[in-house]
Structure formats: C-alpha cells, structure tokens
Amino acid sequence: MKLIIQIPCYNEAETLEVALNDLPKHIDGIDEIEYLIINDGSSDNTVEVAKKWGVNYVVNFRNNKGLARGFMAGLDACLRNGADIIVNTDADNQYCGEDIEKLVRPILNREAGMVIGERPIDQTEHFSPLKKKLQHLGSWVVRKASKTNVPDAPSGFRAYSRRTAMRLNVINEYTYTLETIVQAGRQKMAVTSVPIRTNAELRPSRLFSSMFGYVKKSMLTIGRTLMMYKPLYCFAWLAGIFGVAGVGIGIRFLVFYFSGAGEGHIQSLILASMLITISVLCGVIGLLGDVISANRKLLEEIQFELRKMDYGKGHEEMKNGEKDEE
C-alpha cells in the first residue's frame, strides 16, 4: 500500500519546510510513504527547499495556473507513480500532519473513497466571526447541493483512494474543494469526514483577496457544478418560478378583462406572455442539458477506463522525480 502526500505550492519557501517536517514518516497499514509538491510557477526557491528536504517528486508549472489546475496535475503525477492513496495538504502548515493517519484510516478500512478533514472552525482563533459564519453557511449550501454530509466543505486536507482519484474532474480554475464534493455526491461516491486539528497561522490565505470575492466565486462554483450535474433540476426550478409568475399575472389580466377593464392592463398581458415564454425556454434548456449530462456520464466512464489503462502501465515514473508542465 503506497501513500503519496501532495502539496500545492506557490512561493512557499518560508513555510514549506515547516509543513514537510510535520508530515508522518510511518503509518500502520501503509508500506511506503512518498512526497510530492506542485510548483505552481513560484518565483522564489520553493523547489530548492523541497529538493533539499528530500521530496520524491516535483511537478513544475512555468507560470501560475491556480489551485485547481495544480491539484489535478498533482493527482495525475501521484497516480502515474503508483499511489494507492493520495493525501492533499497545504504548504502553509495549516493542518496537523499527524492527522493524516486519521484521513487514510477510512480508506484503509474500505469505508470511504474520499475523506475530508473537518477543522474546528469555531475554535480557530485566526478566523474572524464573519468568516466562521460564512464557512458554516458555505458548507451547508454544499451539503444541500451534493447530498452529502460534509461539515467543512472548503477544507483542503483530504485523502483519496486510487479509484476515486481516477474519477475526479475539476472544470473551474478557482478551487477544487467545492466542485469535487458536489461531483462525488452526485456520482454516489463514498465520502466521509474526520475531525482534525489545525496549527497556528503562518501567513494569510492567498486563495481570495476579500471575503466578498471568496463568497462570490464559491457560489458561482457551486451553481455551475450543480447545473452541470443536475441541469434538469436547476432549470425546472427556474421554469417553475417564471411560469407561476406568468400564469398569476395572466389570471390577473383575465379578471380585469372579463370585468370590462382590460384595456388599461395590456402591460400585464405583455409581461405574462414574456414570463411564460421564458419559462418554456428554461424548460427546453433543462431538457437539452439533461441530454448533455447523460452524454457526459458516458464520457466520464470512458475516461475512467482510459485512465485505468494509462495508469496501469507500470505507472511511468517521472524522470528524476521531476515533471515540467506548460
């Protein structure tokens, strides 16, 4: 059983060694532990620090691609190098390395394919009261969208089985955390959470510049992912809202018309017609989206089979433990 711990990095020279020193060297049930970093276009000596420490693999991007692209590149490299379990953690040492054993245990026991670390959000001192409330709200929205029971959706401290990792796709370029949960829930993957500990903050988060920006991007990611996996459900709701409004306004017009006062309410007739037309269009878009969604499921199955064939061929290891990406 081989575990590879991957760490996305962007100018992390000051904190990377602290995070690496905190990682476990042995876990019961794991025969081999290796370490991989994704250098997301760093301009400092992040790679030199990683190599000096002794990481096994380095994936290099020539310029910054973002967390989502880096995460997927790391999964690909881990799978190609024979990982049975992949753990993702952060380079700022936000998460307690000893808790990696908690993450991999449900996978080793065949209880789950994706395990997410649940941070003690309310007890985390460097989280503001507003951020704590938004974290809880965001996780609630993700639970509803994904039909899972994940208490801490934005947590990047995660473990994946080999089979689950081969099924993951990340479309957005912002972050993988929310999209992968919705995807896993809608594909009926086995997802669970375990309580973890966090360390003191070494640097501010770089994922978002403001709380408003984070909320906006997160909601767009959740909405886009939900529409991708449940288009008929989403557009049926829109069609229903516009349809009910249009029918209601149309009935109002008919009441005035049959009472002899219809001439003064032509605007209501026009508005009702527009709303009903929009409702019909939303319904048609939902049906088309449902057909496209069915095709996407077939493509995902084909991709999964291709990945099994590709990653099964001796796990083509990276030359000198390092791989360059465009």
Side-chain angles (χ1 to χ4, degrees), residues 27 76 85 99 106 122-123 143 164 185 194 198 203 255 302 311 314 321:
I27 296 175
D76 177 75
I85 301 176
D99 290 338
D122 292 328
Q123 287 74 46
R143 286 197 296 274
T164 297
V194 294
T198 55
R203 62 160 176 77
V255 170
I302 294 172
Y311 295 138

Side-chain angles (χ1 to χ4, degrees), residues 45-72:
N45 62 331
T46 294
V47 175
E48 287 74 14
V49 170
K51 288 181 177 180
K52 182 178 179 181
W53 187 88
V55 299
N56 303 89
Y57 311 105
V58 178
V59 176
N60 285 308
F61 283 117
R62 295 181 183 179
N63 60 303
N64 183 255
K65 299 289 187 180
L67 183 58
R69 290 281 297 276
F71 170 77
M72 289 305 297

Side-chain angles (χ1 to χ4, degrees), residues 174-215:
Y174 175 54
T175 179
Y176 63 91
T177 55
L178 308 179
E179 182 175 343
T180 50
I181 294 176
V182 176
Q183 181 184 149
R186 291 298 173 179
Q187 291 186 351
K188 308 297 183 183
M189 297 182 189
V191 183
T192 190
S193 295
V194 294
I196 60 167
R197 295 163 292 172
T198 55
N199 298 316
E201 185 180 36
L202 296 181
R203 62 160 176 77
S205 174
R206 295 173 182 165
L207 187 58
F208 56 93
S209 57
S210 67
M211 194 65 66
F212 173 75
Y214 173 73
V215 172

Side-chain angles (χ1 to χ4, degrees), residues 116-132:
I116 300 172
E118 177 191 352
R119 296 168 294 179
I121 294 175
D122 292 328
Q123 287 74 46
T124 303
E125 294 182 358
H126 59 269
F127 282 6
S128 67
L130 176 60
K131 184 174 182 177
K132 292 177 182 179

